[in-house]
Amino acid sequence: MRIENIDHLGLVAGIIDELGLEDLTDKEIAPHSLEHVSTGQVVKAMILNAMGFLSAPLYLFSEFFESKAVSHLLGAGVEAKHLNDDRLGRGLDALYAVGITPFFLKVALQAVERFGIDIQQRHLDSTSISVPGEYPSEASSEASEPISITLTRGYSRDHRPDLKQFLMTLACSADGGVPLWLQVASGNASDSQQFATVMTSFQQNWTSEGVFVMDAAFYSAPNLKAVGNLGWISRVPQTLSAAKALIQGETAHLNELECEQADYRLWEMPQDYGGVAQRWILVECQSRQGDGQRAEATLAKQEKILHRQLKALSQQTFASKAEAIEAVMAFQDTLTLHHLAQVRVAPPVPKRGRKRTSPTHASSSGAGYCIEAQLERSENALEQVKRQQSRFILATNQLDTALWPADKVLSEYKNQQKVERGFRFLKDPLFFASSVFVKKPQRVEALALVMALTLLVYTLAERKLRQALAVQQQTVLNQRKRPTAKPTFRWIMQAFQGIHWVWIQGQWQISNLNDQRRLIIQLLGPPIERYYYALS
């Protein structure tokens, strides 16, 4: 008897085959006559390894396949020993040589064509990937190969400022969250500066009209001008004075719009920030007001700062009473949620054994005046903070309100979580570890390509299964044993654990295929069926 595991890997391998990734790779990187496995097979193996539920996919690469049906998944004659570290390294080098972004673009174009993906709405975001170990900080004459990115310290979204990193930027379709564009940059690069470059490059290569959806990192006057007529939707940073005033202000003078989405209220106004004609949409979500604990914490933090400022003001000595009163009024004008009470302007009280130092604007002939006051919270301060925390502003250069009503703009922005979910997938320890473990910067960049390809395969599989369930009006059981028409592919892979090919009595037999597993295989189609129903 011989047992070889296949588990969920047949699902992954079938999607890779349907995508045509192995053939495309071997077309770009011609196989060598002395190699047992082609680069296309290596890429397929790395994706299988990445989705094999290990915490560090590049560790024990050959050992991962020792118990798997390797020749069935990768091709006749392929053995686990052929997938060693040296072959993996050469595969990464070859991927780097053909160009990370151009190669991924060709794969994404093929995915759109074969799977019929709608790319009119794209979501753009970036994240940092940590890299432990020492890497050259910049290209030097001693380096044997050119370094396209710099692995260095920067703002770490992983909360690991001690590690060097690189920046990964992805553009994903709203249709299924399928990645369409990959760009890798140095670890200290600004994601806000990457967005305009990616949008322009994307449009030049895809030649398809559409709208980019981004978070507040994109929204700046230089970026708005740089992207020109490209369509965009972005959250407006609340650090802008105009945005802050709108968030904190009343809405009685604004025209409220109809919103079909429960729990939301919308107001719209024209804006020309950065010299670009656009629409600002004020969004208020009632459920985000919460129970007041977050608002109370925000107020407490503000009050700590204000008390410190008031203390500094009270320690100043003014030349005249009028100057002191003017300073009090100026401080009061800065307060929005508080006010000053028990205000008193009087000569300073000298401290025993110490002589008060007068500032330069105090009169040399008199003692001057000091301020005494108490800071008090306004009566409706808590409610104002809760309201402010429930609001945010969306901006878009899509001026046609009939084509892009405010309600649609909000819906599209809420889909931004699809690209964020993709980043969470890549950093999940069950798939790719949160850190990268290769020695050369060039291989780090190539591994970023493999990570993006893995996400591409994952999203294609999930999208295809959900569409098939919807068409046939079928459901599968989720983790809670409840029927769902929108399962995550991660759960489907977990549900396929324990499937084996067994060599017994001179023939191969498949084990542990129940009704739900057979339904999923049937819904995903022939590319997947051949891994579970046929063995040559």
Side-chain angles (χ1 to χ4, degrees), residues 27 128 144 167 204 224 233 301 309 334 353 399 409 416 462 472 492 500 504:
K27 181 180 178 180
S128 56
S144 59
L167 192 71
Q204 290 172 349
L224 297 184
I233 296 171
K301 185 177 180 180
Q309 294 174 348
T334 64
L399 305 181
V409 173
Q416 179 71 2
E462 184 174 273
Q472 298 194 20
I492 296 301
H500 314 288
I504 186 171

Side-chain angles (χ1 to χ4, degrees), residues 45-109:
M46 286 191 286
I47 294 174
L48 292 172
N49 193 187
M51 287 200 276
F53 297 117
L54 292 180
S55 60
L58 290 188
Y59 285 156
L60 307 177
F61 189 70
S62 296
E63 287 82 346
F64 170 79
F65 288 99
E66 284 184 352
S67 61
K68 306 296 188 295
V70 183
S71 61
H72 186 48
L73 292 168
L74 297 177
V78 179
E79 301 177 23
K81 65 181 181 181
H82 297 149
L83 301 170
N84 53 49
D85 292 343
D86 289 339
R87 186 64 189 97
L88 171 66
R90 292 197 304 273
L92 293 174
D93 291 340
L95 290 173
Y96 175 80
V98 300
I100 301 305
T101 298
F103 182 84
F104 187 82
L105 173 63
K106 292 178 181 178
V107 178
L109 285 167

Side-chain angles (χ1 to χ4, degrees), residues 313 325-341 343 374-376 378:
L313 181 64
I325 294 175
E326 184 178 351
V328 171
M329 298 302 294
F331 185 79
Q332 175 68 58
D333 289 342
T334 64
L335 303 178
T336 57
L337 302 171
H338 301 80
H339 62 272
L340 295 178
V343 180
Q374 296 293 324
L375 183 72
E376 292 187 358
S378 299

Side-chain angles (χ1 to χ4, degrees), residues 5-68:
N5 299 335
I6 187 168
D7 300 326
H8 63 287
L9 297 181
L11 305 178
V12 180
I15 296 296
I16 294 174
D17 294 346
E18 188 172 359
L19 173 59
L21 176 58
E22 183 179 335
D23 292 339
L24 189 152
T25 304
D26 290 338
K27 181 180 178 180
E28 295 293 317
I29 305 169
H32 194 281
S33 59
L34 298 180
E35 291 176 334
H36 292 285
V37 292
S38 68
T39 305
Q41 290 172 312
V42 169
V43 171
K44 184 177 182 180
M46 286 191 286
I47 294 174
L48 292 172
N49 193 187
M51 287 200 276
F53 297 117
L54 292 180
S55 60
L58 290 188
Y59 285 156
L60 307 177
F61 189 70
S62 296
E63 287 82 346
F64 170 79
F65 288 99
E66 284 184 352
S67 61
K68 306 296 188 295

Side-chain angles (χ1 to χ4, degrees), residues 296 298-309 337-338 375-378 381:
E296 183 64 42
T298 300
L299 273 173
K301 185 177 180 180
Q302 290 182 4
E303 287 168 356
K304 185 176 181 181
I305 297 173
L306 292 174
H307 278 300
R308 188 162 55 243
Q309 294 174 348
L337 302 171
H338 301 80
L375 183 72
E376 292 187 358
R377 184 182 295 182
S378 299

Side-chain angles (χ1 to χ4, degrees), residues 87-340:
R87 186 64 189 97
L88 171 66
R90 292 197 304 273
L92 293 174
D93 291 340
L95 290 173
Y96 175 80
V98 300
I100 301 305
T101 298
F103 182 84
F104 187 82
L105 173 63
K106 292 178 181 178
V107 178
L109 285 167
Q110 192 158 290
V112 169
E113 179 183 355
R114 296 192 176 193
F115 288 82
I117 301 166
D118 182 2
I119 63 170
Q120 291 303 302
Q121 279 76 52
R122 315 108 182 199
H123 294 262
L124 185 60
D125 205 353
S126 61
T127 192
S128 56
I129 307 293
S130 300
V131 285
E134 294 297 326
Y135 289 88
S137 59
E138 59 183 9
S140 65
S141 58
E142 298 178 359
S144 59
E145 300 178 68
I147 300 176
S148 60
I149 61 171
T150 301
L151 302 172
T152 185
R153 291 178 177 84
Y155 174 73
S156 176
R157 294 167 179 80
D158 301 328
H159 306 291
R160 290 298 306 271
D162 56 311
L163 297 179
K164 293 183 178 181
Q165 64 182 27
F166 65 90
L167 192 71
M168 176 187 286
T169 302
L170 288 177
C172 297
S173 66
D175 180 10
V178 178
L180 306 172
W181 185 270
L182 166 68
Q183 185 160 305
V184 182
S186 300
N188 57 358
S190 169
D191 54 356
S192 62
Q193 296 176 355
Q194 296 294 312
F195 287 165
T197 303
V198 169
M199 289 172 64
T200 304
S201 300
F202 183 98
Q203 196 63 34
Q204 290 172 349
N205 287 277
W206 283 90
T207 62
S208 174
E209 297 298 328
V211 173
F212 290 90
V213 184
M214 295 153 288
D215 60 20
F218 161 77
Y219 197 86
S220 66
N223 277 349
L224 297 184
K225 293 179 181 178
V227 299
N229 295 325
L230 297 179
W232 52 263
I233 296 171
S234 173
R235 187 163 177 163
V236 178
Q238 295 188 20
T239 53
L240 297 180
S241 57
K244 188 181 299 183
L246 185 58
I247 290 289
Q248 297 176 353
E250 298 294 333
T251 57
H253 64 289
L254 300 175
N255 181 30
E256 185 170 357
L257 306 175
E258 292 185 5
C259 183
E260 296 181 359
Q261 302 181 58
D263 203 37
Y264 284 93
R265 300 178 67 190
L266 304 176
W267 298 266
E268 184 177 313
M269 65 289 303
Q271 180 62 263
D272 61 352
Y273 178 77
V276 176
Q278 57 196 275
R279 298 154 56 202
W280 274 19
I281 300 168
L282 176 63
V283 183
E284 183 176 288
C285 178
Q286 300 299 315
S287 61
R288 292 185 59 182
Q289 293 189 11
D291 57 4
Q293 293 184 357
R294 191 161 64 101
E296 183 64 42
T298 300
L299 273 173
K301 185 177 180 180
Q302 290 182 4
E303 287 168 356
K304 185 176 181 181
I305 297 173
L306 292 174
H307 278 300
R308 188 162 55 243
Q309 294 174 348
L310 182 58
K311 181 179 179 181
L313 181 64
S314 66
Q315 291 176 343
Q316 295 184 32
T317 304
F318 297 91
S320 67
K321 190 172 184 177
E323 284 188 18
I325 294 175
E326 184 178 351
V328 171
M329 298 302 294
F331 185 79
Q332 175 68 58
D333 289 342
T334 64
L335 303 178
T336 57
L337 302 171
H338 301 80
H339 62 272
L340 295 178

